[in-house]
Amino acid sequence: MPLLPVGAWLTELTPQHDRFSMSLICDLPVGIGEAELLGTLAAVLDRHDVLRSRLVRGEGGCGWELEVSAPGSVPVAGLVRRVSCDGRWRSPGWRAVAARELDAALGGLDPAGGVMARFVWFDAGGGTAGRLLIVLHHFVVDGVSWRILLPDLAQAYARVREGRAAGLAGVGTSVRRWAHALVEEAGRRGSELGYWRGVLGESEPVLGRRGLDPVVDTMATVRTVRVVVPAGVTRALLTSVPAVFGGGVNDGLLAALGLSVARWRGRERVLVRLEGHGREEVVVPGADLSRTVGWFTSMFPVRLDVSGVDVDEAFAGGGAAGRVVKAVKEQLLAVPDRGVGFGLLRYLHPVAGGELARAAQPQIGFNYLGRFSASDMPEELRGLGWTQVGEFDEIEAGL
């Protein structure tokens, strides 16, 4: 199958992408045995094709594709590392072990070799719930996919422990069908090119002190800033602000971003790369991606415009703040099909791709990941384990 646009973006960005992944750690059911764990993981890998894929060169050595092997072809036991531990999950020792095992699992990913997944079983003994670290290469997973995978793991385990077949629900539209449909759709998107020319047409001065240097500016030099937002602010952002303006969470977040850049750099119009879930089923009539695992993320540029706004008044909570939220909401609504067409033209269109590659590039990336909680697990599967451990985010950030 062709790589989806976001996968093509990654291969173009850097040839060193083996560790580019998503990871999650979850509590396991108390008393789960090795055979049950392996059976559960095998059932999920057999259901979701992309988890059995490998990265290959396209015909004639041009571009990249994913090649999927048959169900049952992945030796799951070779992907699981078992680590004995005492179950004291909040101890410094546990966090050090988890960080070390995460790093090792990342080093074991090999998309070209067909290793898109690694698992670390932290076995705390028969009387204590262990934990499972799940590391998946980004080629095969996105944020929405976890909402499919965790319930599937719980469902498969519930059946495997009773000696029954996993019986996981089928997949509506496969990644392969979706990928080929997007290639076809890209050929029909030529009329949209003018819109993206307009977004990228302005010059984009360097935002920081200098441009990026790929020799110096690597992951080893990245700094992470974490901010804990008060509950009241969070509640307003997620509920009352969207309700008042009839929009979404992104409207408030991007309004704040636009105002911050205006105050920081005096730039009232700034180019931002947005990420969306990319599962815009309207693009492929009849598509159903509700049960499809893969990396569907869409990336597209938006020109945030806060010109004519009194920035000081907005930061003071005056009426200017509301006007910016409304303006940003309208700017986002003007993006055709929530931006999915940009990736089609940039990475799947033989002519438009080159033009868009030469255009101005955003220097700021923005992504609101949404929320994942226990309520995302079907009620009948709660209590079986397989619940996400939120504190692991801190371990990932520390790496």
Side-chain angles (χ1 to χ4, degrees):
M1 72 180 79
L3 276 181
L4 295 178
V6 69
W9 164 82
L10 178 59
T11 59
E12 185 179 279
L13 180 69
T14 173
Q16 300 175 338
H17 46 62
D18 282 5
R19 293 169 64 95
F20 197 78
S21 59
M22 296 187 80
S23 52
L24 177 149
I25 195 163
C26 60
D27 286 321
L28 288 172
V30 176
I32 188 171
E34 182 177 14
E36 293 172 327
L37 178 61
L38 295 180
T40 298
L41 295 176
V44 173
L45 264 65
D46 286 350
R47 170 55 68 200
H48 299 290
D49 295 346
V50 75
L51 300 181
R52 307 188 307 275
S53 65
R54 69 186 183 98
L55 187 67
V56 298
R57 276 291 185 182
E59 186 176 346
C62 298
W64 293 96
E65 298 177 347
L66 291 180
E67 181 181 87
V68 176
S69 63
S73 62
V74 176
V76 177
L79 304 179
V80 179
R81 171 173 161 77
R82 187 173 186 174
V83 177
S84 297
C85 61
D86 58 15
R88 293 186 294 174
W89 306 121
R90 295 193 176 277
S91 68
W94 146 250
R95 300 184 68 79
V97 170
R100 184 170 64 249
E101 292 297 335
L102 172 59
D103 184 66
L106 291 171
L109 294 176
D110 180 12
V115 183
M116 294 290 193
R118 287 286 182 184
F119 307 94
V120 181
W121 176 17
F122 296 102
D123 184 6
T128 304
R131 286 182 168 180
L132 183 71
L133 167 62
I134 305 171
V135 180
L136 302 176
H137 196 280
H138 221 327
F139 281 133
V140 304
V141 71
D142 58 15
V144 177
S145 296
W146 292 109
R147 291 169 166 80
I148 302 168
L149 289 170
L150 285 181
D152 272 10
L153 287 165
Q155 179 70 67
Y157 168 71
R159 293 176 175 268
V160 167
R161 70 174 180 173
E162 296 176 356
R164 298 188 291 162
L168 295 175
V171 173
T173 300
S174 68
V175 180
R176 181 181 182 277
R177 175 68 191 114
W178 179 258
H180 283 287
L182 290 190
V183 173
E184 297 171 6
E185 177 63 18
R188 297 189 286 266
R189 288 267 167 166
S191 61
E192 197 177 299
L193 181 58
Y195 173 84
W196 298 111
R197 282 176 178 150
V199 173
L200 300 173
E202 298 180 25
S203 62
E204 192 68 9
V206 174
L207 191 63
R209 295 191 183 96
R210 59 172 176 79
L212 292 177
D213 181 346
V215 176
V216 177
D217 301 317
T218 65
M219 287 301 297
T221 63
V222 166
R223 289 189 301 167
T224 300
V225 178
R226 297 177 66 87
V227 178
V228 178
V229 182
V233 175
T234 301
R235 189 178 306 111
L237 177 67
L238 299 181
T239 59
S240 57
V241 171
V244 168
F245 290 93
V249 176
N250 274 4
D251 300 336
L253 289 170
L254 286 169
L257 175 59
L259 287 168
S260 297
V261 173
R263 185 166 70 171
W264 173 49
R265 279 291 186 259
R267 298 268 294 279
E268 296 179 328
R269 291 171 58 83
V270 61
L271 193 63
V272 177
R273 186 189 70 241
L274 264 59
E275 294 188 26
H277 58 66
R279 297 170 183 248
E280 308 300 340
E281 296 171 342
V282 66
V283 173
V284 180
D288 176 10
L289 300 175
S290 61
R291 289 264 314 138
T292 311
V293 170
W295 192 16
F296 293 85
T297 302
S298 58
M299 293 183 176
F300 56 97
V302 168
R303 180 84 55 181
L304 294 182
D305 186 355
V306 298
S307 56
V309 172
D310 186 327
V311 175
D312 292 333
E313 179 188 342
F315 271 98
R323 291 192 290 275
V324 172
V325 175
K326 182 178 179 181
V328 168
K329 171 193 167 183
E330 293 172 350
Q331 291 164 27
L332 296 179
L333 288 175
V335 178
D337 287 335
R338 300 183 184 179
V340 70
F342 179 80
L344 303 187
L345 292 171
R346 172 65 178 81
Y347 296 104
L348 302 180
H349 194 285
V351 178
E355 178 181 341
L356 293 176
R358 295 187 294 271
Q361 300 298 314
Q363 299 171 69
I364 296 176
F366 172 92
N367 186 17
Y368 170 59
L369 288 174
R371 291 172 288 173
F372 188 92
S373 66
S375 62
D376 291 296
M377 184 74 74
E379 185 174 357
E380 67 273 14
L381 299 177
R382 296 175 194 173
L384 291 176
W386 306 98
T387 53
Q388 179 181 355
V389 178
E391 69 182 47
F392 195 66
D393 291 342
E394 298 178 19
I395 296 175
E396 293 182 279
L399 296 177

